[in-house]
Amino acid sequence: MAEKKSNTVRINAGEWRSRLLKFPDAQGLRPTPERVRQTVFNWLGQDLTGQVCLDLFAGTGVMGFEALSRHAKSVVMVEKAMPVYKAILDNKSTLKADAALVLNIDALGFLDKNQQLFDVIFLDPPYHQGWLEKVLAQLPKHLSPQGVVYVEAEYAVADSEIWQVLKQSKAGNVFYHLIKLRHDTN
């Protein structure tokens, strides 16, 4: 049996700037491009001190590790695919990222059980499988009052009764957005 190819993605900024994360070849795994990550963290503010984050379809884990590198208080990384999950654990160990909790569970299963509120949720589900609609419907009860959601998708996300698009852009075939709950949750 051939050994699976190992890929890398570089952390942009913060404590672990320029460190490489390894990840396996996996169907549908698309690391968020460096330029997109730079933009997203500019939108969020470079320093995430004290923020509690969720990387719901963690994939390479780069969004969660970027947040920790920029001093997020903690990040929960949820990844269902076992080889990808194991790679995230290896990267957590290499970086000594003690504030990362890595879970091998389905995204909706996690949301059903989770009671924690998050300040920033990174949401980059598999494309063309209807995940975005299912998950966005569940997120309001998991978001802190001032919380925001980063959404990466194969299409532009529009304002809805629940969500307001704060910022959006496109890189190649990837649409990315920063959204928040439309209604005041205070």
Side-chain angles (χ1 to χ4, degrees):
M1 190 168 154
E3 186 176 323
K4 290 203 177 213
K5 181 180 159 197
S6 184
N7 306 296
T8 59
V9 63
R10 186 177 308 278
I11 295 175
N12 283 340
E15 181 181 345
W16 299 319
R17 181 181 183 181
S18 298
R19 296 287 297 271
L20 292 175
L21 304 176
K22 294 179 182 178
F23 62 94
D25 278 338
Q27 183 177 355
L29 185 61
R30 314 165 320 278
T32 301
E34 184 174 344
R35 189 183 76 166
V36 172
R37 283 184 280 125
Q38 288 173 340
T39 300
V40 170
F41 283 95
N42 283 338
W43 290 350
L44 293 172
Q46 292 294 325
D47 185 0
L48 298 184
T49 297
Q51 301 286 300
V52 176
C53 304
L54 169 63
D55 193 352
L56 193 54
F57 294 85
T60 65
V62 72
M63 297 302 281
F65 288 122
E66 284 276 6
L68 288 172
S69 184
R70 299 159 193 258
H71 309 292
K73 180 179 180 180
S74 64
V75 176
V76 175
M77 298 182 192
V78 176
E79 177 53 52
K80 183 178 177 183
M82 186 56 73
V84 181
Y85 164 76
K86 286 180 178 177
I88 295 170
L89 287 177
D90 289 345
N91 288 320
K92 173 185 172 175
S93 177
T94 299
L95 294 172
K96 296 178 177 55
D98 297 334
L101 172 62
V102 185
L103 301 173
N104 180 229
I105 187 172
D106 173 86
L108 291 175
F110 170 79
L111 293 175
D112 284 344
K113 294 176 179 155
N114 176 67
Q115 300 296 317
Q116 184 176 6
L117 294 179
F118 298 96
D119 302 306
V120 179
I121 297 176
F122 300 105
L123 182 57
D124 181 8
Y127 289 178
H128 309 293
Q129 295 181 24
W131 278 104
L132 194 56
E133 295 78 14
K134 292 178 214 169
V135 172
L136 281 176
Q138 299 295 318
L139 288 188
K141 63 186 174 199
H142 301 280
L143 199 59
S144 68
Q146 303 304 316
V148 294
V149 180
Y150 165 72
V151 179
E152 199 170 303
E154 67 274 26
Y155 56 86
V157 172
D159 286 345
S160 70
E161 289 182 20
I162 299 172
W163 298 103
Q164 177 185 356
V165 177
L166 300 173
K167 300 194 180 260
Q168 62 185 359
S169 194
K170 183 180 181 213
N173 294 327
V174 175
F175 293 84
Y176 56 104
H177 318 76
L178 196 63
I179 65 175
K180 71 172 189 164
L181 287 172
R182 179 173 288 285
H183 57 81
D184 185 15
T185 58
N186 289 334

